[in-house]
Amino acid sequence: MARSTCTELCTQPKTGHCTLCGSLDAGDAFWRRSGLAMLGGWLANLFCYVKSPDGWRAVGVLIGAYVGLYASVEARHER
């Protein structure tokens, strides 16, 4: 879709560099990195961080988030 527009409007033969082509390539790279690939990267980084000497912070944050969410749901249930 966008690549056909780029080939019609491409200035590369004139200038040697097409800003439109570069922008479309950057947009394509963003969408390739997004979604499940991005989630996988976050999980891999989290795993590496937990294995590091400062990993107790990540574990503490996850446990705190769980306890906070549990307390919130329990309070709502009690009402």
Side-chain angles (χ1 to χ4, degrees):
M1 173 177 89
R3 188 56 71 189
S4 64
T5 304
C6 178
T7 56
E8 292 170 4
L9 300 175
C10 188
T11 60
Q12 190 169 0
K14 298 174 195 167
T15 63
H17 176 72
C18 181
T19 306
L20 183 59
C21 292
S23 297
L24 289 173
D25 290 339
D28 290 344
F30 171 76
W31 288 111
R32 278 195 300 274
R33 287 190 314 262
S34 64
L36 293 177
M38 188 181 297
L39 181 62
W42 288 343
L43 291 175
N45 288 338
L46 176 66
F47 182 71
C48 290
Y49 184 70
V50 168
K51 286 177 39 179
S52 74
D54 292 332
W56 61 271
R57 292 178 185 165
V59 173
V61 167
L62 291 175
I63 290 173
Y66 175 77
V67 169
L69 184 64
Y70 180 82
S72 175
V73 170
E74 183 182 20
R76 181 177 245 176
H77 175 71
E78 289 292 323
R79 280 189 248 143

